[in-house]
Each structure stands twice: as structure tokens, then as C-alpha cells.
Amino acid sequence: MKDSNKSLIYAGLSVLSWSTVATAFKLALRLQTHFEMLLIASCTALVILAIVMTFQSKWGSLTLLSAKQWLLYALIGLLNPAIYYLVLFKAYALLPAQIAQPINYSWPILLLILIAIVSHQPIPRRKYIGMALSLGGVILISAGSGQIQQSAIPVAGLLLAFLSALLWAGFWIVNKMNQNIDNTVNLFVIFLFGSVYLLIASLFVPVNLTSTNGFLASMYIGAFEMAIPFIFFSLALKKTNNPVLINQLCYLAPFTSLFIIHLVLKEHIYTTTFIGLILIIVGIIFNEYFAGSGRTK
């Protein structure tokens, strides 16, 4: 099989995996707290990454990391998975999946703002168009769905979903410092620290892991949100001669996710959600490919 075809298969598997996790979040949260869910998911991801490390004979790469890099990973692991996913899962606990997922997906717009702040460089004027489109989509999803349901959408949930996008953007910036480190090694060390933090926290936070279905759902999240799709997506980028196409395939995930949310969770997908998501994606694509310099990927 040609490498180009392999890359499409790997990318497709990643997109399919990410498309299912919003639904998995809600199913797991019916049976566990957001902390219990993250504890199991993070440890599951760590085990999977350890297996991949063994299969790819990359354990020796850990000895090449400097003390400064280990300290940086200690910070990154606290940011993600520990803080980021605690915030994200709590947002899902408070909001319908069709609202939490698109708002979280607005992170590239927040990344653009953070990069401008960190680099002390102004945002190119044309990129304000994309930012306005995406933020307009967030507002439409946040306000429109509540009005249609004639019920109040928790403000705390909306703020947490937005904060999760901000945290992921911050994680992207910090983790960019490790761009020369192998992707599997990078992910393993991140989840090593994150899992250690969560295990320590479990000594002080009440944990009840008696629900078998909840445990399995959280394991699924660790596998198909945190570990496997990132490994496949990295392989897709290595195999392809068209990385732009591979990156663009990611934009299919939130739309496919809405279909799965409707099918499994029985959430009625409101018109405002769909239109808002389109605005978010269009804004991101505009800034990524049509607004000149200062790309985020």
C-alpha cells in the first residue's frame, strides 16, 4: 500500500476516534465523577503509550532528555492532562454535548490571541475576520440553544468550556517547545506526570471505582481521546506528502461527532448548534489558509 493511502487511513482512524469521544464523555459522566473519569482515562493512556514505547524500542530516548526538559514536562503534565481535562469534563457534566464540544473546538482562535500576547506582535488585521466568525459561532451556540430549549444553559458550564479551549491553546504553546522530541516519547512523559499528579490527588479526593461500565467508558476515553488518535495522526503526517489535506480532515470530526451525539445520546441537534459550528470552523480555516502570515499550525 502506498504511503499516501496509509496516511489517509491513519488520519481517518484519528478523526473517527475523536468523533466518538464527546458521546463517550457524557456516557462515562453518568456513572462517574469527572475526577474518577480522568484518573482512569489518564492511566489507561499511559499504559497504552508505554506499550507503544516498548513496541517502537524508544525507552532509551528518555535518557536523552535534559533536566530542563523534565522540569518542563512536569509543568506540561500538570496543564494537560490534569487541569485541562478536569475543566473539560466538568464542562461536559454541566452542558449538553452539542454545546460543550463546539465551544472547546474554538481553541485555535484563542491560540492566535495567546501567540500575539506571548510574541508581543499584533494580530494581522485579516485574521480578525476569522476570529469574529468563530466567536460569533460560540455566541450563537451558547445563547441560541438555551433559547430554543426554553431552559437556562448553566453559565458556569459555558465558562468552563471556554476555559478548556484557552487551556488547550496554552498547552499547545508550551508543548511546542518539545517539537523536536519524538511524538510517542512526548506523549508518554506528559501522561506520566499527569497520571502521577492525579494519583496523588486521589489520596485526598473521594474516589469510587465500583462501576464496571463507568470504568470501561473511562478506559475508552483514555484510549480513543488521549492516546491512539494522536499516535495515528502523527503517523499520518509522517506518511503523507500533503500535510494540509491531513490537517483539514480534522475539521470533519466535530460534524461527525454531532451525528453520533444525536444517535447515541438522543440529543436533538439544534439549528443554532450546527450553524454556530460551521461559523467556528469557517473562521479557523479562514485564518489558517486565507489570512496571510501568523499561522497556528
Side-chain angles (χ1 to χ4, degrees), residues 191-215:
F191 277 94
L192 174 62
F193 277 104
S195 297
V196 168
Y197 293 141
L198 292 166
L199 286 169
I200 293 174
S202 69
L203 300 176
F204 306 95
V205 178
V207 175
N208 183 357
L209 304 179
T210 58
S211 172
T212 301
N213 289 337
F215 200 96

PDB file of all heavy atoms in Angstrom, residues 191-215:
ATOM      1  N   PHE A 191       1.841  12.188  29.942  1.00  0.00           N
ATOM      2  CA  PHE A 191       0.844  11.419  30.692  1.00  0.00           C
ATOM      3  C   PHE A 191       1.453  10.743  31.917  1.00  0.00           C
ATOM      4  O   PHE A 191       0.726  10.427  32.873  1.00  0.00           O
ATOM      5  CB  PHE A 191       0.158  10.405  29.780  1.00  0.00           C
ATOM      6  CG  PHE A 191      -0.963  11.002  28.997  1.00  0.00           C
ATOM      7  CD1 PHE A 191      -0.753  11.492  27.719  1.00  0.00           C
ATOM      8  CD2 PHE A 191      -2.228  11.116  29.537  1.00  0.00           C
ATOM      9  CE1 PHE A 191      -1.787  12.079  26.997  1.00  0.00           C
ATOM     10  CE2 PHE A 191      -3.274  11.698  28.834  1.00  0.00           C
ATOM     11  CZ  PHE A 191      -3.048  12.188  27.564  1.00  0.00           C
ATOM     12  N   LEU A 192       2.762  10.537  31.908  1.00  0.00           N
ATOM     13  CA  LEU A 192       3.422  10.026  33.109  1.00  0.00           C
ATOM     14  C   LEU A 192       3.266  11.028  34.252  1.00  0.00           C
ATOM     15  O   LEU A 192       2.827  10.671  35.349  1.00  0.00           O
ATOM     16  CB  LEU A 192       4.904   9.779  32.817  1.00  0.00           C
ATOM     17  CG  LEU A 192       5.756   9.376  34.023  1.00  0.00           C
ATOM     18  CD1 LEU A 192       5.279   8.052  34.605  1.00  0.00           C
ATOM     19  CD2 LEU A 192       7.235   9.294  33.621  1.00  0.00           C
ATOM     20  N   PHE A 193       3.603  12.283  33.986  1.00  0.00           N
ATOM     21  CA  PHE A 193       3.460  13.305  35.021  1.00  0.00           C
ATOM     22  C   PHE A 193       1.985  13.536  35.365  1.00  0.00           C
ATOM     23  O   PHE A 193       1.623  13.650  36.537  1.00  0.00           O
ATOM     24  CB  PHE A 193       4.112  14.611  34.567  1.00  0.00           C
ATOM     25  CG  PHE A 193       5.583  14.667  34.804  1.00  0.00           C
ATOM     26  CD1 PHE A 193       6.474  14.495  33.754  1.00  0.00           C
ATOM     27  CD2 PHE A 193       6.092  14.877  36.081  1.00  0.00           C
ATOM     28  CE1 PHE A 193       7.850  14.541  33.974  1.00  0.00           C
ATOM     29  CE2 PHE A 193       7.457  14.921  36.308  1.00  0.00           C
ATOM     30  CZ  PHE A 193       8.344  14.752  35.253  1.00  0.00           C
ATOM     31  N   GLY A 194       1.146  13.621  34.336  1.00  0.00           N
ATOM     32  CA  GLY A 194      -0.269  13.856  34.587  1.00  0.00           C
ATOM     33  C   GLY A 194      -0.889  12.769  35.451  1.00  0.00           C
ATOM     34  O   GLY A 194      -1.653  13.058  36.389  1.00  0.00           O
ATOM     35  N   SER A 195      -0.549  11.510  35.173  1.00  0.00           N
ATOM     36  CA  SER A 195      -1.100  10.396  35.948  1.00  0.00           C
ATOM     37  C   SER A 195      -0.590  10.401  37.375  1.00  0.00           C
ATOM     38  O   SER A 195      -1.330  10.087  38.320  1.00  0.00           O
ATOM     39  CB  SER A 195      -0.752   9.070  35.259  1.00  0.00           C
ATOM     40  OG  SER A 195      -1.348   8.988  33.978  1.00  0.00           O
ATOM     41  N   VAL A 196       0.676  10.762  37.559  1.00  0.00           N
ATOM     42  CA  VAL A 196       1.235  10.845  38.915  1.00  0.00           C
ATOM     43  C   VAL A 196       0.497  11.914  39.722  1.00  0.00           C
ATOM     44  O   VAL A 196       0.118  11.693  40.879  1.00  0.00           O
ATOM     45  CB  VAL A 196       2.742  11.152  38.861  1.00  0.00           C
ATOM     46  CG1 VAL A 196       3.265  11.524  40.260  1.00  0.00           C
ATOM     47  CG2 VAL A 196       3.508   9.956  38.325  1.00  0.00           C
ATOM     48  N   TYR A 197       0.264  13.074  39.105  1.00  0.00           N
ATOM     49  CA  TYR A 197      -0.463  14.140  39.793  1.00  0.00           C
ATOM     50  C   TYR A 197      -1.860  13.671  40.195  1.00  0.00           C
ATOM     51  O   TYR A 197      -2.333  13.942  41.308  1.00  0.00           O
ATOM     52  CB  TYR A 197      -0.590  15.372  38.897  1.00  0.00           C
ATOM     53  CG  TYR A 197       0.720  16.068  38.601  1.00  0.00           C
ATOM     54  CD1 TYR A 197       0.978  16.593  37.336  1.00  0.00           C
ATOM     55  CD2 TYR A 197       1.698  16.210  39.569  1.00  0.00           C
ATOM     56  CE1 TYR A 197       2.173  17.241  37.050  1.00  0.00           C
ATOM     57  CE2 TYR A 197       2.905  16.847  39.298  1.00  0.00           C
ATOM     58  CZ  TYR A 197       3.133  17.360  38.034  1.00  0.00           C
ATOM     59  OH  TYR A 197       4.309  17.994  37.761  1.00  0.00           O
ATOM     60  N   LEU A 198      -2.529  12.988  39.288  1.00  0.00           N
ATOM     61  CA  LEU A 198      -3.899  12.541  39.554  1.00  0.00           C
ATOM     62  C   LEU A 198      -3.931  11.446  40.619  1.00  0.00           C
ATOM     63  O   LEU A 198      -4.844  11.415  41.456  1.00  0.00           O
ATOM     64  CB  LEU A 198      -4.545  12.044  38.253  1.00  0.00           C
ATOM     65  CG  LEU A 198      -4.818  13.130  37.218  1.00  0.00           C
ATOM     66  CD1 LEU A 198      -5.135  12.518  35.859  1.00  0.00           C
ATOM     67  CD2 LEU A 198      -5.972  14.026  37.667  1.00  0.00           C
ATOM     68  N   LEU A 199      -2.956  10.551  40.609  1.00  0.00           N
ATOM     69  CA  LEU A 199      -2.888   9.506  41.628  1.00  0.00           C
ATOM     70  C   LEU A 199      -2.638  10.117  43.004  1.00  0.00           C
ATOM     71  O   LEU A 199      -3.213   9.668  44.011  1.00  0.00           O
ATOM     72  CB  LEU A 199      -1.789   8.505  41.279  1.00  0.00           C
ATOM     73  CG  LEU A 199      -2.115   7.555  40.124  1.00  0.00           C
ATOM     74  CD1 LEU A 199      -0.872   6.785  39.691  1.00  0.00           C
ATOM     75  CD2 LEU A 199      -3.233   6.587  40.510  1.00  0.00           C
ATOM     76  N   ILE A 200      -1.788  11.133  43.063  1.00  0.00           N
ATOM     77  CA  ILE A 200      -1.551  11.823  44.343  1.00  0.00           C
ATOM     78  C   ILE A 200      -2.834  12.511  44.802  1.00  0.00           C
ATOM     79  O   ILE A 200      -3.215  12.443  45.972  1.00  0.00           O
ATOM     80  CB  ILE A 200      -0.409  12.843  44.194  1.00  0.00           C
ATOM     81  CG1 ILE A 200       0.914  12.122  43.949  1.00  0.00           C
ATOM     82  CG2 ILE A 200      -0.319  13.730  45.444  1.00  0.00           C
ATOM     83  CD1 ILE A 200       2.073  13.046  43.642  1.00  0.00           C
ATOM     84  N   ALA A 201      -3.521  13.174  43.857  1.00  0.00           N
ATOM     85  CA  ALA A 201      -4.776  13.860  44.198  1.00  0.00           C
ATOM     86  C   ALA A 201      -5.835  12.880  44.679  1.00  0.00           C
ATOM     87  O   ALA A 201      -6.675  13.228  45.523  1.00  0.00           O
ATOM     88  CB  ALA A 201      -5.289  14.641  42.985  1.00  0.00           C
ATOM     89  N   SER A 202      -5.802  11.646  44.174  1.00  0.00           N
ATOM     90  CA  SER A 202      -6.808  10.647  44.570  1.00  0.00           C
ATOM     91  C   SER A 202      -6.701  10.270  46.042  1.00  0.00           C
ATOM     92  O   SER A 202      -7.628   9.679  46.612  1.00  0.00           O
ATOM     93  CB  SER A 202      -6.675   9.394  43.698  1.00  0.00           C
ATOM     94  OG  SER A 202      -5.473   8.688  43.993  1.00  0.00           O
ATOM     95  N   LEU A 203      -5.562  10.596  46.674  1.00  0.00           N
ATOM     96  CA  LEU A 203      -5.411  10.350  48.107  1.00  0.00           C
ATOM     97  C   LEU A 203      -6.243  11.323  48.925  1.00  0.00           C
ATOM     98  O   LEU A 203      -6.529  11.076  50.102  1.00  0.00           O
ATOM     99  CB  LEU A 203      -3.939  10.465  48.513  1.00  0.00           C
ATOM    100  CG  LEU A 203      -2.960   9.493  47.836  1.00  0.00           C
ATOM    101  CD1 LEU A 203      -1.535   9.802  48.275  1.00  0.00           C
ATOM    102  CD2 LEU A 203      -3.322   8.047  48.164  1.00  0.00           C
ATOM    103  N   PHE A 204      -6.622  12.438  48.305  1.00  0.00           N
ATOM    104  CA  PHE A 204      -7.353  13.495  49.007  1.00  0.00           C
ATOM    105  C   PHE A 204      -8.773  13.709  48.466  1.00  0.00           C
ATOM    106  O   PHE A 204      -9.583  14.364  49.117  1.00  0.00           O
ATOM    107  CB  PHE A 204      -6.581  14.813  48.910  1.00  0.00           C
ATOM    108  CG  PHE A 204      -5.153  14.708  49.377  1.00  0.00           C
ATOM    109  CD1 PHE A 204      -4.135  14.482  48.473  1.00  0.00           C
ATOM    110  CD2 PHE A 204      -4.848  14.804  50.720  1.00  0.00           C
ATOM    111  CE1 PHE A 204      -2.819  14.380  48.889  1.00  0.00           C
ATOM    112  CE2 PHE A 204      -3.535  14.704  51.155  1.00  0.00           C
ATOM    113  CZ  PHE A 204      -2.512  14.476  50.233  1.00  0.00           C
ATOM    114  N   VAL A 205      -9.054  13.165  47.287  1.00  0.00           N
ATOM    115  CA  VAL A 205     -10.373  13.317  46.661  1.00  0.00           C
ATOM    116  C   VAL A 205     -11.112  11.986  46.751  1.00  0.00           C
ATOM    117  O   VAL A 205     -10.543  10.938  46.424  1.00  0.00           O
ATOM    118  CB  VAL A 205     -10.233  13.742  45.182  1.00  0.00           C
ATOM    119  CG1 VAL A 205     -11.602  13.846  44.519  1.00  0.00           C
ATOM    120  CG2 VAL A 205      -9.487  15.065  45.076  1.00  0.00           C
ATOM    121  N   PRO A 206     -12.371  11.972  47.183  1.00  0.00           N
ATOM    122  CA  PRO A 206     -13.128  10.720  47.249  1.00  0.00           C
ATOM    123  C   PRO A 206     -13.219  10.053  45.875  1.00  0.00           C
ATOM    124  O   PRO A 206     -13.563  10.696  44.883  1.00  0.00           O
ATOM    125  CB  PRO A 206     -14.511  11.172  47.735  1.00  0.00           C
ATOM    126  CG  PRO A 206     -14.268  12.472  48.421  1.00  0.00           C
ATOM    127  CD  PRO A 206     -13.138  13.126  47.677  1.00  0.00           C
ATOM    128  N   VAL A 207     -12.880   8.773  45.822  1.00  0.00           N
ATOM    129  CA  VAL A 207     -12.890   8.028  44.557  1.00  0.00           C
ATOM    130  C   VAL A 207     -13.649   6.733  44.749  1.00  0.00           C
ATOM    131  O   VAL A 207     -13.379   5.970  45.684  1.00  0.00           O
ATOM    132  CB  VAL A 207     -11.453   7.730  44.078  1.00  0.00           C
ATOM    133  CG1 VAL A 207     -11.486   6.844  42.833  1.00  0.00           C
ATOM    134  CG2 VAL A 207     -10.704   9.018  43.788  1.00  0.00           C
ATOM    135  N   ASN A 208     -14.600   6.480  43.870  1.00  0.00           N
ATOM    136  CA  ASN A 208     -15.376   5.245  43.895  1.00  0.00           C
ATOM    137  C   ASN A 208     -15.360   4.641  42.494  1.00  0.00           C
ATOM    138  O   ASN A 208     -15.975   5.174  41.573  1.00  0.00           O
ATOM    139  CB  ASN A 208     -16.813   5.531  44.337  1.00  0.00           C
ATOM    140  CG  ASN A 208     -17.641   4.258  44.439  1.00  0.00           C
ATOM    141  OD1 ASN A 208     -17.171   3.163  44.126  1.00  0.00           O
ATOM    142  ND2 ASN A 208     -18.890   4.395  44.880  1.00  0.00           N
ATOM    143  N   LEU A 209     -14.639   3.540  42.332  1.00  0.00           N
ATOM    144  CA  LEU A 209     -14.462   2.933  41.010  1.00  0.00           C
ATOM    145  C   LEU A 209     -15.181   1.590  40.908  1.00  0.00           C
ATOM    146  O   LEU A 209     -14.702   0.656  40.283  1.00  0.00           O
ATOM    147  CB  LEU A 209     -12.961   2.758  40.711  1.00  0.00           C
ATOM    148  CG  LEU A 209     -12.112   4.031  40.803  1.00  0.00           C
ATOM    149  CD1 LEU A 209     -10.653   3.715  40.509  1.00  0.00           C
ATOM    150  CD2 LEU A 209     -12.637   5.098  39.862  1.00  0.00           C
ATOM    151  N   THR A 210     -16.354   1.500  41.528  1.00  0.00           N
ATOM    152  CA  THR A 210     -17.081   0.230  41.565  1.00  0.00           C
ATOM    153  C   THR A 210     -17.932  -0.008  40.329  1.00  0.00           C
ATOM    154  O   THR A 210     -18.407  -1.123  40.109  1.00  0.00           O
ATOM    155  CB  THR A 210     -17.981   0.171  42.813  1.00  0.00           C
ATOM    156  OG1 THR A 210     -18.884   1.294  42.787  1.00  0.00           O
ATOM    157  CG2 THR A 210     -17.143   0.231  44.080  1.00  0.00           C
ATOM    158  N   SER A 211     -18.165   1.035  39.514  1.00  0.00           N
ATOM    159  CA  SER A 211     -18.987   0.879  38.325  1.00  0.00           C
ATOM    160  C   SER A 211     -18.157   0.302  37.176  1.00  0.00           C
ATOM    161  O   SER A 211     -17.267   0.971  36.644  1.00  0.00           O
ATOM    162  CB  SER A 211     -19.590   2.233  37.902  1.00  0.00           C
ATOM    163  OG  SER A 211     -20.228   2.124  36.642  1.00  0.00           O
ATOM    164  N   THR A 212     -18.459  -0.930  36.805  1.00  0.00           N
ATOM    165  CA  THR A 212     -17.716  -1.569  35.712  1.00  0.00           C
ATOM    166  C   THR A 212     -17.917  -0.824  34.402  1.00  0.00           C
ATOM    167  O   THR A 212     -16.956  -0.585  33.652  1.00  0.00           O
ATOM    168  CB  THR A 212     -18.158  -3.035  35.548  1.00  0.00           C
ATOM    169  OG1 THR A 212     -17.935  -3.738  36.767  1.00  0.00           O
ATOM    170  CG2 THR A 212     -17.371  -3.708  34.432  1.00  0.00           C
ATOM    171  N   ASN A 213     -19.154  -0.459  34.096  1.00  0.00           N
ATOM    172  CA  ASN A 213     -19.431   0.245  32.844  1.00  0.00           C
ATOM    173  C   ASN A 213     -18.756   1.619  32.823  1.00  0.00           C
ATOM    174  O   ASN A 213     -18.238   2.057  31.792  1.00  0.00           O
ATOM    175  CB  ASN A 213     -20.938   0.396  32.649  1.00  0.00           C
ATOM    176  CG  ASN A 213     -21.619  -0.909  32.318  1.00  0.00           C
ATOM    177  OD1 ASN A 213     -20.977  -1.844  31.821  1.00  0.00           O
ATOM    178  ND2 ASN A 213     -22.906  -1.009  32.586  1.00  0.00           N
ATOM    179  N   GLY A 214     -18.775   2.296  33.979  1.00  0.00           N
ATOM    180  CA  GLY A 214     -18.105   3.584  34.059  1.00  0.00           C
ATOM    181  C   GLY A 214     -16.603   3.441  33.870  1.00  0.00           C
ATOM    182  O   GLY A 214     -15.964   4.259  33.201  1.00  0.00           O
ATOM    183  N   PHE A 215     -16.040   2.383  34.449  1.00  0.00           N
ATOM    184  CA  PHE A 215     -14.608   2.125  34.323  1.00  0.00           C
ATOM    185  C   PHE A 215     -14.248   1.881  32.861  1.00  0.00           C
ATOM    186  O   PHE A 215     -13.261   2.430  32.348  1.00  0.00           O
ATOM    187  CB  PHE A 215     -14.233   0.906  35.170  1.00  0.00           C
ATOM    188  CG  PHE A 215     -12.776   0.809  35.503  1.00  0.00           C
ATOM    189  CD1 PHE A 215     -12.306   1.286  36.714  1.00  0.00           C
ATOM    190  CD2 PHE A 215     -11.872   0.245  34.617  1.00  0.00           C
ATOM    191  CE1 PHE A 215     -10.953   1.212  37.037  1.00  0.00           C
ATOM    192  CE2 PHE A 215     -10.527   0.168  34.927  1.00  0.00           C
ATOM    193  CZ  PHE A 215     -10.064   0.650  36.139  1.00  0.00           C
TER     194      PHE A 215
END
